[in-house]
Amino acid sequence: YEPNSEMQSSSGADGDDSLYPIAVLIDELRNEDVQLRLNSIKKLSTIALALGVERTRTELLPFLTDTIYDEDEVLLALAEQLGNFTMLVGGPEYVHCLLPPLESLATVEETVVRDKAVESLRKISQEHSPVDLEVHFEPLVKRLASGDWFTSRTSACGLFSVCYPRVSSTVKAEIRQHFRTLCSDDTPMVRRAAASKLGEFAKVLELDYVKSDIISLFTALASDEQDSVRLLAVEACVSIATLLPQEDLETLVMPTLRQAAEDKSWRVRYMVADKFSELQKAVGPEITKNDLVPAFQNLLKDCEAEVRAAAANKVKEFCENLPEDNREQIIMTHILPCVKELVSDTNQHVKSALASVIMGLSTILGKDNTIEHLLPLFLAQLKDECPEVRLNIISNLDCVNEVIGIRQLSQSLLPAIVELAEDAKWRVRLAIIEYMPLLAGQLGVEFFDEKLNTLCMAWLIDHVYAIREAATCNLMKLVEKFGADWAQNTIVPKVLGMANDPNYLHRMTTLFCINALSDVCGRDITTKQMLPVVLKMSEDQVANVRFNVAKSLQKIGPVLEKITLQNQVKPVLDKLATDKDMDVKYFAHEASLIRTPLTFLPLTVLYSHSALCSIPAYRVRSLSRRQTQTLSGRWCNKLFFFFDKPLKSPSMLSLARETSVELDVVCFGLCQATVTRL
């Protein structure tokens, strides 16, 4: 494409550069770099605004229509852009100008591009007037529906429903005929597309045509040789059933639905199970009781695990939607026996799906039935080897708690939890620890303190390190849930008491707990209760404990006040830095050098010795006035210093040689000052 000579001469004569945007667009669209072409397409709206509505219609859109031979991601972006182009071509009056490029995009081979083009066509169809719809849009649908390639015919299936309600009776008859033709197309992909839009199309048809046309199409598609077509017909069944009167459902829909529930393909049966609750609401209580209950039983007992899992996931919802007058009887007689079998299913996905909903049955069946029939199932799943099953049970304990009460729950389920928490296999214990914060939230702080607090503390002295580490993280999550006051009264004293344990591993666990709890407990508890214990442990006889003291001081430093750091922490780090053990010295040096707050230093000059040799002058440059965190992690609230002149003092240079690290300084508490080289 090249601008015509008349436009070139006119622009050259008056110096008008209005053609430049389209020239840039064309250059980038022809570029070998896909990313440049993609960026150009994403700028179409900007280009269209620069060109104006008339030139967009007469130049830009024809050019785009003629150049739809590109990478899929470029075409996808183009299809999306054109759906928002109505006002850029002059409004609804000219929206039909967008149809040619979108029609071309709706015929390409890549599915996502076609789908996006159809989406944009559906969007702009609403902006056509009824006259324009028949003159411009409906002919496009016919061309696509009768195209030689299956790609255009599949795209046409998504457009019938948007134009049907707003056209004349004659055109409606033509549209119905085209849709019937596509439903019996030779290509499975076209029949699939028609089946996926059957329910949507049925919603816009008159009821008489639903009975005369749609039902026959539904029956044919549900009996198609391709299971991918049959399973999509199941989705359409939900929409069709909601449109028909109750008296017509038994004769027009149910035979096909029964056939689908027993289909030879597990994918079709899976779709029936997945849509079962929607089907149940659509057909009503009487048909549910007579037909769907037996069908649901069969799905729960299906030979394929995927089907059983889909059906198990619908157990609660199906039971909730049963008629209230005989709901309990149906559940106890027909559903619960199947559920009991699924609890011990060989497939973990089936058990997990059931565990996610089974607790909800307690609110439906009531206290007595829950205690007698459901609690044994909960216990069995709580001991299941699959962690996801156990998690789903623990996650929904509140449902049972509301029905049977916390005391009954503790007598029945908590012994099983405690048993797992003390299991000989450490991986089982680890799994229970991971669920403990969730369980604590379900049970509440009082009950937790009474029944589970001791258990959580016992994990801290487990002989397996992974358990001790997980128990430490568990304490932090519990404090986040129950608050610092609870921690101060319940957790912190017990943790600090371990500092005197004869086993050095337990003393180290104390330090790990302090590291985890310092942030959530806050400055006051950390300074008054935890810090003295950490400082005292710096004299421990075991080197591993001492170097972990250095690491703990580095970790809790950001929580402490600077005067505490200066008067209490720094002397201990200095002492550890001269320790006879190399590891202790190393970690003490690391804590002082990298994480030590700036107040430890008389001046925060940075740069290595080599940098100082080559750069004679330094300045402090203030940045924007905003809250900024120092490298050490703590918030400063006073001005340390604010220089705006070269720093050449020998003492400053000497300090810089010793530190050899980069630190930030906070000026005024809100302005960050950074030492920069000049």
Side-chain angles (χ1 to χ4, degrees):
Y1 170 82
E2 294 291 343
N4 62 54
S5 57
E6 182 181 347
M7 295 172 66
Q8 285 180 324
S9 60
S10 63
S11 63
D14 57 11
D16 180 16
D17 291 332
S18 61
L19 284 178
Y20 183 71
I22 190 68
V24 171
L25 171 65
I26 294 169
D27 286 343
E28 291 191 354
L29 280 175
R30 291 172 173 171
N31 197 291
E32 293 182 359
D33 189 344
V34 174
Q35 190 59 48
L36 279 178
R37 298 201 301 274
L38 183 59
N39 292 339
S40 178
I41 289 295
K42 290 181 177 179
K43 297 173 186 174
L44 276 181
S45 58
T46 303
I47 300 300
L49 283 171
L51 291 176
V53 294
E54 184 175 349
R55 294 178 64 186
T56 297
R57 293 195 302 266
T58 58
E59 297 180 37
L60 181 58
L61 291 180
F63 169 73
L64 294 174
T65 305
D66 293 339
T67 56
I68 298 182
Y69 304 99
D70 208 327
E71 299 292 335
D72 293 333
E73 55 263 47
V74 177
L75 299 182
L76 179 64
L78 177 59
E80 183 176 8
Q81 288 282 319
L82 292 177
N84 302 312
F85 248 55
T86 301
M87 300 313 297
L88 297 174
V89 295
E93 183 180 354
Y94 297 98
V95 71
H96 59 84
C97 296
L98 297 173
L99 297 181
L102 285 172
E103 181 178 358
S104 298
L105 290 168
T107 63
V108 300
E109 189 173 352
E110 179 55 47
T111 304
V112 292
V113 177
R114 293 201 310 271
D115 290 345
K116 184 59 70 174
V118 170
E119 181 184 325
S120 293
L121 283 169
R122 290 168 63 93
K123 184 176 181 180
I124 66 174
S125 70
Q126 306 303 319
E127 295 165 346
H128 282 72
S129 66
V131 175
D132 286 340
L133 202 65
E134 288 198 18
V135 173
H136 300 289
F137 196 87
E138 195 269 339
L140 175 146
V141 177
K142 289 181 181 178
R143 288 194 299 273
L144 291 175
S146 56
D148 293 333
W149 290 93
F150 78 91
T151 54
S152 65
R153 302 199 297 276
T154 56
S155 295
C157 294
L159 300 175
F160 290 116
S161 61
V162 294
C163 61
Y164 184 87
R166 302 172 59 206
V167 295
S168 63
S169 300
T170 306
V171 177
K172 284 182 177 180
E174 295 176 359
I175 291 176
R176 291 196 301 272
Q177 180 55 47
H178 279 295
F179 192 80
R180 280 195 296 270
T181 303
L182 294 179
C183 285
S184 57
D185 195 276
D186 293 336
T187 309
M189 286 80 80
V190 178
R191 299 200 302 275
R192 257 204 314 269
S196 68
K197 299 299 180 182
L198 182 63
E200 179 185 292
F201 188 50
K203 290 180 180 179
V204 300
L205 259 64
E206 299 80 1
L207 183 58
D208 290 340
Y209 292 120
V210 172
K211 294 180 181 180
S212 61
D213 290 5
I214 295 298
I215 294 299
S216 60
L217 297 176
F218 167 61
T219 304
L221 291 170
S223 305
D224 195 274
E225 61 181 12
Q226 296 284 330
D227 62 355
S228 60
V229 177
R230 299 199 301 274
L231 67 87
L232 291 171
V234 174
E235 288 192 50
C237 183
V238 177
S239 300
I240 294 171
T242 58
L243 298 173
L244 294 174
Q246 192 70 28
E247 58 270 16
D248 293 329
L249 287 174
E250 182 61 42
T251 57
L252 299 179
V253 174
M254 289 312 299
T256 306
L257 183 56
R258 293 190 197 101
Q259 173 187 322
E262 300 174 356
D263 196 278
K264 62 182 179 181
S265 170
W266 72 266
R267 292 180 177 85
V268 179
R269 301 196 303 275
Y270 173 89
M271 184 60 70
V272 174
D274 190 55
K275 299 292 181 182
F276 213 85
S277 298
E278 298 171 48
L279 290 167
Q280 180 187 11
K281 294 175 184 177
V283 300
E286 194 62 32
I287 293 178
T288 294
K289 184 170 62 176
N290 297 332
D291 288 280
L292 294 193
V293 170
F296 194 60
Q297 285 180 280
N298 292 334
L299 292 171
L300 290 171
K301 298 177 181 179
D302 197 274
C303 61
E304 291 291 340
E306 287 84 354
V307 179
R308 296 198 302 276
N313 206 37
K314 299 294 180 181
V315 164
K316 177 189 173 184
E317 201 171 347
F318 178 77
C319 293
E320 284 177 335
N321 295 330
L322 288 170
E324 290 188 15
D325 55 346
N326 54 2
R327 175 190 297 166
E328 184 176 329
Q329 183 266 329
I330 293 175
I331 295 174
M332 299 301 296
T333 307
H334 301 287
I335 305 302
L336 196 58
C338 300
V339 170
K340 289 179 179 178
E341 292 180 16
L342 293 180
V343 168
S344 56
D345 196 277
T346 56
N347 187 282
Q348 70 177 38
H349 299 293
V350 176
K351 294 185 290 185
S352 178
L354 181 65
S356 66
V357 297
I358 191 174
M359 309 291 274
L361 293 179
S362 58
T363 58
I364 301 172
L365 293 177
K367 182 175 181 179
D368 294 337
N369 285 327
T370 297
I371 294 173
E372 182 179 355
H373 297 285
L374 294 182
L375 277 181
L377 304 182
F378 300 160
L379 282 170
Q381 292 192 300
L382 195 58
K383 296 178 180 180
D384 194 273
E385 62 182 9
C386 175
E388 192 173 350
V389 175
R390 299 196 298 266
L391 175 60
N392 286 340
I393 290 295
I394 292 175
S395 301
N396 294 284
L397 280 178
D398 56 336
C399 299
V400 184
N401 184 23
E402 293 173 4
V403 177
I404 67 175
I406 191 66
R407 291 300 164 188
Q408 180 67 47
L409 185 66
S410 65
Q411 293 172 11
S412 55
L413 293 185
L414 283 185
I417 295 175
V418 173
E419 181 182 344
L420 290 172
E422 298 172 346
D423 194 276
K425 297 178 180 178
W426 69 269
R427 294 184 188 278
V428 177
R429 301 198 300 276
L430 183 63
I432 291 297
I433 294 175
E434 292 171 352
Y435 303 148
M436 194 54 64
L438 182 62
L439 187 61
Q442 302 275 343
L443 300 177
V445 61
E446 293 182 6
F447 186 84
F448 180 83
D449 284 343
E450 180 183 346
K451 300 291 183 180
L452 298 175
N453 192 309
T454 304
L455 191 62
C456 290
M457 299 306 301
W459 283 325
L460 292 173
I461 56 174
D462 195 279
H463 65 279
V464 178
Y465 173 75
I467 300 297
R468 299 196 300 273
E469 183 183 37
T472 301
C473 297
N474 173 54
L475 288 185
M476 180 182 68
K477 294 175 182 177
L478 290 174
V479 174
E480 289 175 347
K481 193 173 290 291
F482 292 148
D485 292 339
W486 172 81
Q488 185 175 14
N489 298 325
T490 309
I491 295 296
V492 173
K494 297 178 181 179
V495 168
L496 299 183
M498 293 167 55
N500 300 316
D501 195 287
N503 189 327
Y504 85 96
L505 294 175
H506 299 167
R507 299 199 298 275
M508 287 174 59
T509 302
T510 299
L511 295 172
F512 299 152
C513 290
I514 290 173
N515 294 347
L517 295 176
S518 60
D519 286 333
V520 291
C521 286
R523 174 180 294 175
D524 191 55
I525 296 175
T526 302
T527 304
K528 293 180 180 179
Q529 294 183 252
M530 298 182 187
L531 180 61
V533 174
V534 177
L535 298 177
K536 182 180 178 182
M537 293 177 71
S538 67
E539 301 175 357
D540 197 280
Q541 297 300 311
V542 179
N544 286 36
V545 177
R546 296 198 301 276
F547 78 63
N548 273 288
V549 167
K551 293 170 72 174
S552 293
L553 291 175
Q554 180 180 2
K555 177 69 174 66
I556 69 176
V559 181
L560 305 174
E561 292 183 347
K562 60 179 178 294
I563 190 170
T564 304
L565 293 166
Q566 186 71 35
N567 297 337
Q568 298 184 49
V569 176
K570 186 176 184 296
V572 171
L573 286 176
D574 290 342
K575 182 179 178 181
L576 291 175
T578 61
D579 195 275
K580 60 183 179 180
D581 187 272
M582 294 298 296
D583 291 330
V584 177
K585 288 196 287 188
Y586 171 78
F587 285 109
H589 179 71
E590 288 289 301
S592 300
L593 198 59
I594 297 179
R595 301 294 289 182
T596 301
L598 301 178
T599 47
F600 286 4
L601 304 175
L603 183 64
T604 53
V605 183
L606 31 130
Y607 295 116
S608 64
H609 178 74
S610 59
L612 290 170
C613 292
S614 58
I615 302 173
Y618 303 83
R619 286 184 184 273
V620 176
R621 173 175 56 83
S622 64
L623 300 182
S624 59
R625 190 173 177 79
R626 58 185 175 84
Q627 201 170 32
T628 307
Q629 198 174 16
T630 65
L631 189 64
S632 66
R634 63 182 299 269
W635 296 98
C636 300
N637 58 5
K638 65 178 290 186
L639 175 64
F640 291 135
F641 70 86
F642 189 84
F643 262 149
D644 194 22
K645 61 183 180 180
L647 308 180
K648 299 181 180 178
S649 165
S651 61
M652 294 178 184
L653 297 180
S654 174
L655 174 64
R657 292 190 185 96
E658 292 172 4
T659 58
S660 299
V661 294
E662 292 194 354
L663 297 173
D664 287 342
V665 62
V666 176
C667 295
F668 258 0
L670 296 176
C671 282
Q672 185 186 28
T674 305
V675 177
T676 57
R677 314 179 202 185
L678 295 183

